[in-house]
Amino acid sequence: RAYAGGGPRIGETGKFEGEFKVQQKAPYINHRLEVWEKLYKKYADALASKPRKDIKIELPDGTVKDGKAFETSPMEIAMSISKGLAESAVVAKVIYKENVESLTQCVVADVEEDEPEEDPSEQSVLWDMTRPLEGSCRMELLKFDHPQGQDVFWHSSAHILGQAMEREFGCHLTIGPALESGFYYDGFFGERKLNEND
């Protein structure tokens, strides 16, 4: 749920108004972690109540692995093939063969307007390696050498960089996307200027 915050706001001029206090150990970080812990507990409780039905996971070479819905993860499938594959896989590309409730609850925010819509029966989704699968599916494990693997790796890296910037320098994050050949994060540091030693 959205609610009105008490911090800086965009004024009539279209610019932020109010004070941006740059500080290490900012109170909003603890608040964010408390919210995360509550949401994660809610997710874990809901996950524990899901039925553990038998599922089939089909790999690109036609091999079919047995699993349990809401229990078997892409990482477990990768480990069953080889430790090297599990260590090098970044994300799973999954095409579910049945309706999966969680996919109807998602908003695809990163789709470009000019991208063609996928056939719903062939709609793929990038799935975290440790997140349990929810139904029978086709699955491909993507490594860093795959464009989507790179994008996921750099996207996650941008978030980690942003968190480090907040914790180390107390900055306010602005924007930090994955790029075609890396990632970055911008932030408001007040009067502080960063250099190579930072």
Side-chain angles (χ1 to χ4, degrees):
R1 294 186 181 174
Y3 65 92
R9 302 180 188 288
I10 297 178
E12 291 179 17
T13 63
K15 296 183 178 180
F16 280 105
E17 297 175 349
E19 180 186 8
F20 278 95
K21 189 173 184 181
V22 176
Q23 60 180 338
Q24 287 184 319
K25 299 182 182 176
Y28 68 83
I29 293 177
N30 284 337
H31 174 71
R32 185 190 302 153
L33 291 173
E34 289 168 9
V35 170
W36 165 254
E37 291 297 330
K38 287 179 190 174
L39 291 173
Y40 187 76
K41 183 180 182 333
K42 184 178 176 181
Y43 165 77
D45 291 346
L47 184 64
S49 70
K50 299 288 185 185
R52 302 301 200 259
K53 68 176 185 174
D54 292 334
I55 61 172
K56 301 286 184 187
I57 301 107
E58 182 183 342
L59 302 176
D61 66 357
T63 302
V64 176
K65 298 280 188 176
D66 293 323
K68 293 278 185 193
F70 300 101
E71 187 175 299
T72 304
S73 70
M75 181 60 77
E76 289 176 44
I77 298 297
M79 284 295 291
S80 74
I81 298 168
S82 79
K83 184 179 177 186
L85 176 60
E87 289 174 351
S88 62
V90 175
V91 69
K93 185 174 185 177
V94 175
I95 298 174
Y96 279 101
K97 296 182 174 185
E98 58 190 271
N99 289 332
V100 174
E101 181 184 346
S102 69
L103 294 184
T104 63
Q105 301 167 349
C106 297
V107 175
V108 181
D110 292 340
V111 173
E112 300 294 332
E113 290 180 16
D114 59 349
E115 287 184 25
E117 289 189 29
E118 293 185 33
D119 175 353
S121 65
E122 288 293 311
Q123 190 171 10
S124 64
V125 61
L126 297 178
W127 204 262
D128 187 86
M129 291 293 294
T130 59
R131 180 179 176 186
L133 296 164
E134 298 179 13
S136 292
C137 60
R138 294 196 332 247
M139 183 180 77
E140 180 182 0
L141 300 171
L142 306 182
K143 299 179 183 180
F144 184 76
D145 61 1
H146 188 283
Q148 288 179 303
Q150 287 179 3
D151 188 54
V152 167
F153 184 85
W154 285 329
H155 184 107
S156 297
S157 298
H159 285 290
I160 293 167
L161 175 62
Q163 182 181 30
M165 289 164 51
E166 284 181 322
R167 288 178 175 248
E168 183 68 23
F169 304 112
C171 76
H172 292 271
L173 300 178
T174 55
I175 187 168
L179 304 170
E180 286 186 28
S181 60
F183 63 94
Y184 76 97
Y185 228 117
D186 281 338
F188 174 74
F189 291 82
E191 300 297 317
R192 182 178 185 138
K193 304 290 185 216
L194 298 182
N195 60 48
E196 290 183 14
N197 294 327
D198 291 320

